[in-house]
Amino acid sequence: MKKIFKFLFSIILLLSWSNALFSQSIHEKYEQKKNDSIRIGIGEKDFLPFIPQGYTLMLPKKKNLKGVLIFLEDSGYDKKNKISRQIYNEASKNGFAVLSVSSEIPFDFYFSKNSALSSHQIINQVFKEYNLPNKNIFFIGVALSGHRAMKHIEFMKEDNYPFQLNIKGIVICNTKLDWAMEWYKYDREKRNKRNDLWEPTFANYMLETHLNGTPKTNAKSYYDFSIYSYFDEENEKIKFYTNYSVRAYIEPAIKYWLKRHLKTMYDNNSPDAVGLLAELELAGNLNTELIVFESDDNKTQKKNSDTIWERIDKKELMLWINNQSE
């Protein structure tokens, strides 16, 4: 009986996947424009190759699109659209297209406005080619792609480009926003030498190189680059996001990070999201929401940005997006 039940369940699941698949069309275009690499450290092998630049677009097979969800993913190291495709089914049911865009720089921090501009040009091209509606636009970002999304908005609002997105909201998940604080976190890890040092070594090299020093020697550069910084008394970047609906997802998992990695409460990204929402409310934006996932006691279960994104109820997220839409 159990085998029959499992077989029937598999058939039902397969049919549901098939229905979801045939209710969508996928369009993809990536180009490897540079056969070169960028330096990511001081070692002789510390280089990463440029990655394909382009996009993946999911279109629901509905005639009238309600809006577009935009992800600024990394085509090389995020395996193209691995984050965005997790919301394809729910987005399609609700009449939303999903667009994932990648620049050519691996692990792109958007230090330069050129990265945002190249993504903007791709977005403009896709909107024209597929006649996408410029309404109910939501940027969604997980980890570093959340920072990219917010820097993209900042750069586009600073300049008067002919094509401007009509953005309604921003969704960030476990996103680094305070790069002055990040530098100190990574510096602590390097000093303690208790975890894998690839990320802290890489990140602080990139920050120190592109921001011309450390927060100790050039704090203003770090404040200017950050979306929000606890140390910055002005937090002028908040003005770019006061008119949008903003939702942030976090999982502090304090016990997990303490016992498994000897990290403190300040060594995860949760304070960044809380600080951002607090500053937005102080600036008059009351349309913000913080979703906190409680951590279980399973110390063996891996916790990172991907696992937090996987825990998000995509159906409920789309309900929130619909409620913010026109």
Side-chain angles (χ1 to χ4, degrees), residues 134-189:
N134 191 1
K135 63 178 184 179
N136 297 326
I137 308 300
F138 289 81
F139 275 90
I140 302 180
V142 177
L144 186 57
S145 67
H147 163 78
R148 289 184 201 123
M150 301 194 79
K151 290 300 286 186
H152 183 97
I153 292 169
E154 173 194 327
F155 287 143
M156 294 305 105
K157 291 190 77 169
E158 283 181 332
D159 296 319
N160 189 27
Y161 294 107
F163 175 71
Q164 292 283 340
L165 291 168
N166 290 315
I167 302 166
K168 289 295 292 182
I170 307 166
V171 178
I172 56 173
C173 172
N174 196 39
T175 292
K176 302 176 189 296
L177 303 169
D178 183 349
W179 291 98
M181 181 68 83
E182 287 304 316
W183 184 90
Y184 282 105
K185 293 177 190 176
Y186 288 134
D187 188 58
R188 178 181 179 274
E189 284 195 65

Side-chain angles (χ1 to χ4, degrees), residues 14 34 50 86 118 203 205 210 217 225 233 242 296 324:
L14 182 61
K34 290 183 181 177
F50 284 98
Q86 291 184 38
S118 68
Y205 171 84
H210 291 274
T217 62
F225 182 62
E233 295 180 2
T242 53
D296 57 34
Q324 315 308 313

